[in-house]
């Protein structure tokens, strides 16, 4: 299968090239040239398959031409060593919990898959493949844990000193093995600048194999379709879809998760309606309502993983629906919530239904509550465990109400190891060149 750029100004590339490069040469995002549909019969039987089996079938539709079946299945099963269960919140609203992976957020799925795919394509090279990732917190932990122990790959996580939470920092500084944390005297933007400069540095690229693990990478993006199919299967298995149609709400920032859901629907997954749930960063909400897309700087909210003012995957959504506003606005309904509303939702859902949402999931829940009509059943993506946002959630529901899961507690107990570095590029470059290759 070939991958084209959403900017359509550069030749199509192979899967391997799309994964290694991340971004197309014309700065567009890669899209698969074909989206293959399942036969309707697949959905009649889907409830008999496990999550991993369903994901393998979905993966085959994307990657089946490029990776041998047994290998692909191995990659999928190895990625999904945790469940993404569908949990009842009310009679008509269910939570698709995507936080049972190593770092307790949905990005684990894509990061783990990408690590294994990269290892498949590059793992047997003579040279080590160096993954450089700049993080303001969560991406670093998902990538580091996704790539942990993967042969032939070394990960450098660059993060701004003193600007990530202790829990976040512990998730990428305590791992050891093939993960190195670089604590930069500077801001997130400085970290990003170092990484971007390194990718453009010819001398460095002649000596080292460098790649990124950006969230726009097709190997991180497409596997996010897996859990939509599984949610459908598990609800069908429980008899919930016998006389009701499915509505899916996705708390959205860069819109990768939602776009993967839209692709699942293009593959035939019976979803009646998608909802994009936003915080006050609402440029897509505005687009859906007015037809005008006006990116602007993000504002800080308590659902901070959705604080995005120019969502990168919006280009994929426009591409998918040929830039037709009416089509996009039909496929996606938009909702947005203020911090105050998000707090109210967390409290209400906790008090009335004994379910603890994180600030992102709360947007998803409320949009379903606002949208659903009688013959529909709703699922929202619960994108992170509430313990990742303990401070915010406990100011709402009360101190001591959020249990620290075993996995997070274990990170906190680990020994922090990081290398100190200035934000000057020559220092970073010298450091990389001095490393064993
Ligand atoms: C990354 C993230 C999001 C946003 O997902 P997109 O795919 O960027 O829209 C939402 N919630 C949490 C917890 C996240 O980490």
């Amino acid at each position: 299968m070939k991958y084209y750029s959403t900017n359509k100004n550069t030749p199509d590339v192979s899967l391997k090239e799309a994964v290694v490069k991340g971004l197309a040469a014309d700065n567009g995002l890669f899209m698969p040239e074909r989206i293959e549909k399942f036969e309707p019969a697949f959905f009649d039987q889907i409830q008999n398959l496990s999550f991993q089996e369903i994901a393998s079938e979905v993966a085959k539709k994307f990657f089946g031409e490029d990776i041998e079946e047994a290998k692909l299945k191995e990659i999928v099963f190895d990625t999904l060593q945790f469940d993404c269960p569908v949990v009842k919140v009310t009679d008509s609203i269910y939570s698709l919990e995507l936080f049972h992976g190593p770092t307790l957020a949905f990005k684990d799925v894509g990061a783990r898959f990408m690590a294994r795919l990269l290892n498949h394509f590059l793992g047997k090279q003579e040279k080590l493949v160096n993954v450089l990732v700049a993080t303001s917190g969560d991406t670093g932990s998902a990538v580091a844990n996704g790539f942990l122990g993967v042969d032939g790959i070394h990960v450098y996580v660059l993060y701004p000193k003193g600007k990530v939470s202790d829990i976040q920092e512990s998730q990428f500084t305590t791992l050891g093995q093939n993960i190195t944390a670089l604590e930069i005297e500077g801001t997130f933007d400085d970290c990003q600048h170092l990484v971007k400069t390194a990718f453009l540095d010819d001398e460095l690229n002649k000596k080292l194999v460098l790649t990124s693990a950006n969230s726009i990478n097709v190997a991180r993006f497409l596997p996010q379709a897996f859990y939509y199919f599984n949610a459908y299967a598990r609800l069908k298995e429980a008899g919930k879809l016998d006389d009701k149609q499915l509505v899916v709400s996705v708390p959205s920032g860069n819109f990768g998760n939602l776009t993967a859901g839209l692709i699942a629907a293009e593959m035939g997954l019976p979803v009646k309606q998608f909802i994009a749930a936003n915080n006050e960063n609402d440029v897509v909400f505005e687009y859906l309502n007015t037809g005008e897309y006006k990116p602007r700087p993000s504002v800080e909210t308590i659902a901070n993983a959705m604080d995005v003012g120019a969502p990168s995957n919006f280009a994929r959504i426009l591409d998918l629906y040929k830039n037709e506003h009416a089509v996009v606005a039909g496929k996606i309904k938009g909702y947005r919530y203020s911090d105050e509303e998000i707090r109210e939702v967390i409290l209400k859902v906790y008090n009335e239904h004994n379910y603890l949402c994180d600030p992102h999931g709360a947007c998803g829940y409320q949009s379903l509550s606002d949208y659903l009509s009688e013959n529909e059943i709703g699922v929202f993506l619960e994108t992170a465990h509430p313990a990742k946002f303990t401070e915010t959630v406990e100011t709402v529901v009360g101190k001591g109400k959020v249990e620290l899961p075993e996995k997070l507690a274990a990170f906190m107990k680990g020994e922090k190891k990081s290398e100190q570095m200035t934000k000057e590029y020559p220092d970073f470059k010298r450091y990389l060149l001095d490393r064993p290759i």
Side-chain angles (χ1 to χ4, degrees):
M1 176 105 71
K2 292 280 187 203
Y3 289 78
Y4 65 87
S5 163
T6 52
N7 283 349
K8 303 196 167 87
N9 243 328
T10 184
D12 295 355
V13 301
S14 66
L15 172 63
K16 177 178 169 180
E17 198 175 337
V19 174
V20 173
K21 292 233 166 99
L23 198 66
D26 60 0
N27 274 329
L29 276 65
F30 287 118
M31 285 284 275
E33 63 175 346
R34 275 176 286 115
I35 296 174
E36 287 184 16
K37 269 199 184 330
F38 282 102
E39 295 294 328
F42 175 71
F43 297 102
D44 295 339
Q45 299 293 326
I46 193 169
Q47 69 278 9
N48 301 326
L49 301 178
S50 71
F51 179 28
Q52 290 84 353
E53 288 166 340
I54 292 169
S56 296
E57 293 302 318
V58 177
K60 248 198 276 179
K61 296 272 185 214
F62 295 129
F63 309 122
E65 284 176 16
D66 298 286
I67 302 169
E68 189 234 325
E69 185 166 343
K71 180 69 201 177
L72 185 56
K73 200 165 174 185
E74 182 189 316
I75 291 173
V76 170
F77 274 66
D78 201 26
T79 299
L80 300 177
Q81 289 185 27
F82 50 88
D83 199 12
C84 295
V86 178
V87 174
K88 181 174 169 173
V89 180
T90 75
D91 284 341
S92 56
I93 299 181
Y94 286 74
S95 168
L96 170 56
E97 293 186 348
L98 302 178
F99 56 65
H100 295 274
T103 73
L104 308 179
F106 82 87
K107 291 184 178 72
D108 284 331
V109 174
R112 287 172 65 83
F113 188 89
M114 179 178 171
R116 283 149 187 82
L117 203 64
L118 209 53
N119 170 262
H120 169 68
F121 283 135
L122 302 177
K124 287 171 211 81
Q125 296 205 146
E126 278 162 30
K127 280 186 176 175
L128 202 60
V129 177
N130 299 285
V131 173
L132 306 182
V133 55
T135 187
S136 55
D138 272 355
T139 299
S141 56
V143 169
N145 284 273
F147 282 79
L148 181 65
V150 176
D151 265 356
I153 298 176
H154 198 100
V155 177
Y156 296 92
V157 180
L158 287 76
Y159 72 103
K161 186 183 176 81
K163 293 193 176 65
V164 304
S165 74
D166 288 349
I167 275 198
Q168 287 174 325
E169 189 176 22
S170 71
Q171 288 176 294
F172 50 77
T173 57
T174 58
L175 298 167
Q177 297 186 52
N178 59 332
I179 311 298
T180 300
L182 300 175
E183 194 170 2
I184 309 293
E185 306 252 5
T187 61
F188 168 66
D189 289 335
D190 293 324
C191 297
Q192 188 127 31
H193 179 73
L194 290 177
V195 168
K196 284 190 172 163
T197 311
F199 286 133
L200 296 173
D201 183 329
D202 285 339
E203 187 195 344
L204 195 61
N205 283 275
K206 270 189 204 123
K207 297 205 171 119
L208 301 177
V209 185
L210 299 180
T211 188
S212 75
N214 203 301
S215 67
I216 51 145
N217 197 296
V218 288
R220 279 187 62 187
F221 158 66
L222 291 173
Q224 296 177 146
F226 297 165
Y227 35 72
Y228 290 89
F229 286 88
N230 189 52
Y232 178 88
R234 303 290 72 95
L235 286 170
K236 187 154 191 272
E237 186 177 39
K240 301 295 173 195
L241 298 174
D242 292 350
D243 52 3
K244 294 201 166 133
Q245 288 185 293
L246 181 60
V247 176
V248 178
S249 175
V250 187
S252 294
N254 268 319
F255 280 75
N257 233 352
L258 177 65
T259 310
L262 296 170
I263 287 183
E266 294 298 305
M267 295 167 83
L269 184 70
V271 175
K272 184 185 177 197
Q273 182 67 54
F274 282 93
I275 294 176
N278 281 135
N279 58 27
E280 282 174 354
N281 295 281
D282 56 2
V283 294
V284 174
F285 174 85
E286 293 292 342
Y287 166 82
L288 293 171
N289 290 322
T290 66
E292 281 184 63
Y293 180 61
K294 293 190 199 145
R296 53 178 146 77
S298 63
V299 295
E300 266 183 51
T301 77
I302 58 169
N304 58 18
M306 310 196 309
D307 293 350
V308 179
S312 45
N313 285 288
F314 188 63
R316 285 191 164 121
I317 295 180
L318 288 183
D319 184 81
L320 201 55
Y321 302 121
K322 312 214 158 31
N323 243 311
E324 290 178 44
H325 172 256
V327 180
V328 180
K331 298 277 180 186
I332 310 167
K333 291 284 169 263
Y335 285 86
R336 78 172 154 208
Y337 300 99
S338 66
D339 278 2
E340 197 180 326
E341 288 169 313
I342 294 171
R343 287 197 187 91
E344 279 167 19
V345 175
I346 293 173
L347 187 62
K348 181 185 71 181
V349 177
Y350 183 64
N351 285 340
E352 293 176 11
H353 308 293
N354 197 26
Y355 189 83
L356 200 52
C357 289
D358 95 296
H360 308 82
C363 298
Y365 172 90
Q366 190 55 37
S367 63
L368 287 173
S369 181
D370 290 343
Y371 176 86
L372 284 182
S373 60
E374 240 166 55
N375 53 358
E376 294 166 344
I377 194 143
V379 171
F380 66 95
L381 275 54
E382 182 39 293
T383 46
H385 191 289
K388 294 201 90 169
F389 304 91
T390 299
E391 233 170 86
T392 304
V393 175
E394 288 197 340
T395 57
V396 177
V397 298
K399 267 236 157 308
K401 292 281 166 51
V402 182
E403 228 177 285
L404 192 65
E406 190 73 30
K407 283 179 203 146
L408 280 188
F411 281 122
M412 296 297 278
K413 277 189 223 131
E415 190 197 345
K416 176 187 150 176
K417 273 202 193 126
S418 65
E419 313 226 8
Q420 307 293 312
M421 193 162 293
T422 72
K423 61 178 192 223
E424 307 305 325
Y425 180 68
D427 289 345
F428 180 50
K429 180 172 178 174
R430 196 171 326 115
Y431 171 83
L432 287 178
L433 287 173
D434 284 349
R435 303 275 304 178
I437 46 173

